[in-house]
Amino acid sequence: MLINQKNSELKNIVILATGGTIAGTGEEGKTTNYQAGNLDIQTLISSVSNLDKIANIYGEQIANVDSNDITVNHWLTLANKINELSKQEDIDGFVITHGTDTLEETAYFLDLTVKTSKPVVLTGAMRPSTATSADGPLNLYQSVALAASDLSIEQGCMVVFSDGIYSGRNVQKVNTFKTNAFSSIEFGCLGYMRDNIPYFFNKSIKPHTIDSQFDISKLNQLPKVSIAYFNIDADPSILKYFSQSSEGIVIAGAGSGTFSTKWLQAIESLELKGIPVVRSSRIGSGIILEDDAMDKYNNCIPSYTLSPPKARILLSLALTKTKDYGEIKNIFAEY
Ligand code: ASP
């Protein structure tokens, strides 16, 4: 891919479109009952005024789906494409448009698997393009501006949403319909966008991009990891069921990654089968550490501050490297 450099003063940014509400259409003015992933990348680009004043843009359609239909194949395509294109000197950064429902998962996967210090920014929208005050155009404008900023180099994979800049590791969707739908809760945002100017205040110190040990270049699948949600009286047989089809299990536990005595008993047989079990939490903030009672069996691993879907990604990538419980524990402590 060669960027047609229209303005040699500007950076060259590749936009990879995957669909979502930002590319959604519905009844004029309405924010509900629309179809996600309907507009193509060229229409999206042309809907943002002044985009050509902040960067030279090259757009490519990777998919056009609701983000609930994003798969590991999309992840591998995105990571491999970014890894390939980032070697080109005439490409300065990347923006990925994505549905918001699973945006934090793709952001974390790319944070751990792209091998470039060039900026990678994900964005989306909570309102379809046909809504009154659609939020997609400003989010896309600010994402391109962030990807084109020197300040963004070596910041890992970021998310821009509603004037906030978030790290791919810590970002979470926190609202089902409001435009200010993303947050890093207790870790705070990395900074703010005001128009096209980024203001950074924080940095994630966890290994990412060029410092991450994970290499997906030779993979066409990832080890399967399933998430089991715990609640009062939750049936422990879900753990046995998942153990038949998965190489690892993440528990969305109560409180600090806890569950019942019955679930703990079920974990003993998983230990013998060689299946690691990561204890995460359904709470959404706080930390989960090693705990003598809950980590009775060697296969139990605390997720620290990773949410269940993010712990699933890290466990899956860890399993591409090792099946050793101790080594997987170290990976969770480091990342
Ligand atoms: N269901 C949509 C999606 O994730 C929601 C959105 O983009 O806001 O694709």
Side-chain angles (χ1 to χ4, degrees), residues 1 14 16 58 60 80-91 94 118:
M1 178 195 294
V14 174
L16 302 171
Y58 177 89
E60 187 173 330
N80 283 321
K81 188 166 271 293
I82 292 169
N83 287 340
E84 208 41 53
L85 291 178
S86 61
K87 292 180 194 147
Q88 280 188 216
E89 267 179 32
D90 65 345
I91 292 177
F94 301 87
K118 292 181 182 177

Side-chain angles (χ1 to χ4, degrees), residues 18-24 34-37 65-70 98-103 123-128 135 161 173 175-177 181-182:
T18 69
T21 296
I22 192 167
Y34 60 89
Q35 195 188 337
V65 296
D66 185 298
S67 73
N68 293 284
D69 292 321
I70 290 284
H98 197 288
T100 61
D101 289 343
T102 63
L103 187 142
T123 197
M126 292 300 286
R127 296 178 180 158
D135 53 333
F161 221 92
K173 188 170 182 181
N175 197 283
T176 59
F177 75 100
F182 285 83

